[in-house]
Amino acid sequence: GAGVSQSPSNKVTEKGKDVELRCDPISGHTALYWYRQRLGQGLEFLIYFQGNSAPDKSGLPSDRFSAERTGESVSTLTIQRTQQEDSAVYLCASSLSTGGQVYGYTFGSGTRLTVV
Amino acid sequence: AQSVTQLDSHVSVSEGTPVLLRCNYSSSYSPSLFWYVQHPNKGLQLLLKYTSAATLVKGINGFEAEFKKSETSFHLTKPSAHMSDAAEYFCVVSDLRSPEKLTFGTGTRLTIIP
């Protein structure tokens, strides 16, 4: 597609439920990133996929968070047993190969997650 | 570890006057620096980037930034503000040791006064 697409755009869930967030990167972008943006704060790195290499999961805040990517396309971020502190905007970004530093990263519009 | 400090959480300027958004960084390795803009209900958009080439970087919409190693700064400027510049601006750093991990500042909200 023309840009990075994320769904849903908004999600309200009850505490303790599991949620799945989806990201469709730009076609041809082999690198895909997930970030979290809490209210009034900058973005926190969560996880990074590059082609078929093992993902860099060093930013995941707890074992309730996991992410998968199918080849070089769609990625899903799963949060199990959601807590109120998980409420944030979850942003996905993609870039050409490992060229984010050169080409820049294209961000989606995010999924706003609210845990009640 | 790398870090970014955006010195102002909120900046207000009158339309047609200069804009200055301040950013200081910390990095143990050769940094790459970016400015991103986030308009309400829209995704982050890359304004400009510094990757060890020219220290004065020109971006979209008339914005530019100057990399000053001696001051560890990467301030964003624009000669004349436009109403459409009202948005949240993020200064971002990455370095050679972890090039794919972006470290974001906490953001500066720019308000344009008519």
Side-chain angles (χ1 to χ4, degrees):
Chain A
V4 177
S5 177
Q6 291 187 246
S7 61
S9 55
N10 279 286
K11 175 72 176 179
V12 179
T13 189
E14 291 181 354
K15 180 180 173 181
K17 296 283 180 70
D18 297 352
V19 294
E20 274 193 2
L21 312 180
R22 177 188 169 104
C23 172
D24 278 283
I26 291 174
S27 178
H29 279 194
T30 58
L32 186 147
Y33 314 79
W34 283 97
Y35 286 85
R36 177 170 70 177
Q37 185 178 24
R38 287 174 160 152
L39 187 64
Q41 298 185 19
L43 274 69
E44 303 170 66
F45 168 80
L46 295 177
I47 188 169
Y48 157 61
F49 295 90
Q50 170 53 40
N52 294 319
S53 301
D56 179 348
K57 304 179 181 180
S58 60
L60 295 178
S62 78
D63 58 8
R64 296 187 295 105
F65 287 73
S66 62
E68 293 183 348
R69 188 178 185 193
T70 307
E72 295 183 351
S73 60
V74 172
S75 176
T76 56
L77 176 68
T78 302
I79 308 173
Q80 296 178 309
R81 306 181 302 281
T82 52
Q83 304 294 315
Q84 287 187 327
E85 62 262 27
D86 299 335
S87 296
V89 176
Y90 290 82
L91 287 162
C92 177
S94 69
S95 72
L96 285 167
S97 183
T98 53
Q101 285 186 300
V102 177
Y103 303 109
Y105 304 77
T106 302
F107 283 85
S109 297
T111 294
R112 183 176 298 278
L113 175 66
T114 304
V115 182
V116 298
Chain B
Q2 59 197 25
S3 66
V4 168
T5 302
Q6 291 185 245
L7 299 164
D8 306 293
S9 59
H10 191 194
V11 170
S12 294
V13 301
S14 297
E15 188 176 17
T17 64
V19 175
L20 169 65
L21 305 183
R22 298 183 294 167
C23 172
N24 285 98
Y25 71 91
S26 173
S27 175
S28 302
Y29 298 85
S30 299
S32 291
L33 292 153
F34 309 78
W35 276 97
Y36 279 84
V37 61
Q38 187 175 37
H39 287 92
N41 301 316
K42 292 191 176 180
L44 286 158
Q45 181 183 18
L46 179 66
L47 271 181
L48 50 79
K49 59 184 183 290
Y50 164 77
T51 55
S52 74
T55 56
L56 181 61
V57 181
K58 294 186 184 298
I60 61 172
N61 301 335
F63 283 93
E64 61 182 41
E66 186 171 6
F67 173 71
K68 291 186 177 181
K69 187 176 181 179
S70 61
E71 299 177 10
T72 61
S73 69
F74 191 58
H75 301 333
L76 182 70
T77 60
K78 182 173 180 177
S80 177
H82 191 272
M83 293 301 295
S84 61
D85 294 329
E88 187 90 17
Y89 291 80
F90 292 95
C91 183
V92 184
V93 66
S94 68
D95 65 33
L96 283 179
R97 188 174 56 175
S98 303
E100 301 310 317
K101 286 185 187 176
L102 303 180
T103 300
F104 281 72
T106 51
T108 298
R109 181 168 299 279
L110 178 62
T111 300
I112 310 298
I113 303 165

